[in-house]
Amino acid sequence: MTAMPHRLVPFLLLLAAAAATGAGAATPRQLFLVSQPPVTLTNHHGQLLTGNYSVNLLWYGRFTPAQRAVLADFILSLSGSGSGPASALVPPSVASWWATTARYHPGAARLSLGRQVLDTSLSLGRRLSESSLASLAARLGPHRGTVAVVVTAPDVLVDGFCLSRCGLHASATTTTSTSTPNATTNGRGHGRGRFAYAWVGNPAEQCPGECSWPFHQPLYGPQQAAPLVSPNADVGMDGTVITLATLLAGAVTNPYGGGFFQGPAEAPLEAVSACAGVFGAGAYPGYPGQVRVDAATGASYNAVGVAGRRFLLPAMWDPETAQCSTPLV
């Protein structure tokens, strides 16, 4: 398989994204030295993901059932499943946040939770390369109607994790038994089809300051008064949700490198990564913006999903308003 990575730079290094009107990315050293241009994602007229897709999960390493439920419920919440007919698309729901991706013409992907596979034995070892991630994704039996997601445990080492990325989304090829619109066939009903996949790491042990902000104090850059309390009482998994939300939005709006993005194709700013560091109105470097706080637990959130589960989701660039839009309006 040949993977085409789309790297997600750690959120800390993208905190230069200012309030919900949006701003470009910068390193902490540049924060107060350079005025950032506005976010303008360009449609490069490549293929987007449209239609119904199952998100299949491969859990690499040890996760508790409660941790797996956080991510599973987030994916279920993208379509409003279980939210109730009256609230499925009413802000601040997860589903209404995801509905912004449908404004990326001609895209409109409806994601649902597919199969889940556990690899607690670390079959490829404790250290993984980018090619290892593609191999693990291929175990999920990917095809045109799926997005494969590999989730690595806190003690698993992935090349580049924490240093340059919190996760990635990419594409690879696989042999398909049935010709599909995005497969190159050999005339016998078989061919090599592309599939989208993503990897996200749980940063709880290795880099919570980089990949679980704003639930952990950042190591560098602007410092807010205190980290936010995570809505699911798990800093690592709530940080993983933020990264997965970023990756899935990028995967459907720029799956193969020719969709919506700003900047170079090798390091694109996409639907959510272009708005990094913004979670609510009034956000600025080191401050995530105005979000809701649960009176009983003190936990911060800006979106509600299945069974009332709460999440803190990053802003997404809205092509209709050309601004970074947050779940809370």
Side-chain angles (χ1 to χ4, degrees):
M1 292 184 195
T2 301
M4 180 181 58
H6 292 261
R7 287 173 172 79
L8 173 65
V9 179
F11 293 105
L12 171 62
L13 301 183
L14 290 173
L15 288 179
T21 54
T27 66
R29 294 176 182 175
Q30 296 173 317
L31 287 176
F32 304 108
L33 300 177
V34 180
S35 296
Q36 300 303 314
V39 173
T40 304
L41 301 191
T42 300
N43 184 1
H44 295 78
H45 302 290
Q47 182 178 347
L48 277 61
L49 299 190
T50 61
N52 296 323
Y53 281 79
S54 295
V55 178
N56 296 333
L57 299 173
L58 188 148
W59 299 92
Y60 193 79
R62 295 189 178 278
F63 293 86
T64 67
Q67 288 177 318
R68 297 199 301 268
V70 171
L71 230 56
D73 284 353
F74 168 67
I75 295 170
L76 287 170
S77 301
L78 293 172
S79 64
S81 301
S83 302
S87 62
L89 290 175
V90 177
S93 74
V94 175
S96 62
W97 174 84
W98 181 254
T100 303
T101 62
R103 300 169 193 159
Y104 284 72
H105 185 77
R110 179 181 173 87
L111 303 186
S112 60
L113 181 63
R115 59 192 292 241
Q116 299 187 56
V117 175
L118 305 183
D119 187 345
T120 58
S121 65
L122 302 178
S123 60
L124 296 186
R126 196 173 298 277
R127 184 169 197 121
L128 302 176
S129 65
E130 201 164 288
S131 61
S132 300
L133 299 173
S135 297
L136 289 171
R139 292 184 184 178
L140 291 168
H143 56 79
R144 185 175 180 271
T146 65
V147 176
V149 176
V150 177
V151 189
T152 52
D155 60 343
V156 174
L157 304 175
V158 179
D159 289 352
F161 186 41
C162 301
L163 298 177
S164 62
R165 57 193 178 188
C166 302
L168 64 81
H169 78 83
S171 66
T173 57
T174 185
T175 301
T176 57
S177 59
T178 304
S179 176
T180 60
N182 64 341
T184 301
T185 62
N186 58 17
R188 296 187 298 274
H190 296 265
R192 292 178 62 81
R194 286 185 297 185
F195 70 92
Y197 72 92
W199 154 70
V200 57
N202 183 327
E205 295 180 9
Q206 299 181 52
C207 53
E210 287 87 345
C211 297
S212 279
W213 187 86
F215 304 124
H216 191 281
Q217 202 74 16
L219 296 179
Y220 310 102
Q223 304 286 311
Q224 64 186 77
L228 302 183
V229 177
S230 64
N232 293 288
D234 189 320
V235 169
M237 289 310 299
D238 278 312
T240 300
V241 167
I242 294 173
T243 302
L244 182 59
T246 303
L247 296 172
L248 289 178
V252 302
T253 60
N254 186 32
Y256 308 121
F260 284 83
F261 62 89
Q262 175 176 298
E266 298 78 17
L269 293 178
E270 299 175 321
V272 173
S273 60
C275 303
V278 178
F279 295 88
Y284 56 81
Y287 172 61
Q290 299 175 14
V291 298
R292 293 185 176 178
V293 178
D294 183 271
T297 65
S300 295
Y301 68 99
N302 62 7
V304 180
V306 295
R309 189 185 286 275
R310 295 170 176 179
F311 302 96
L312 186 70
L313 300 181
M316 187 187 305
W317 190 76
D318 188 333
E320 292 185 357
T321 63
Q323 292 184 338
C324 292
S325 176
T326 62
L328 288 175
V329 295

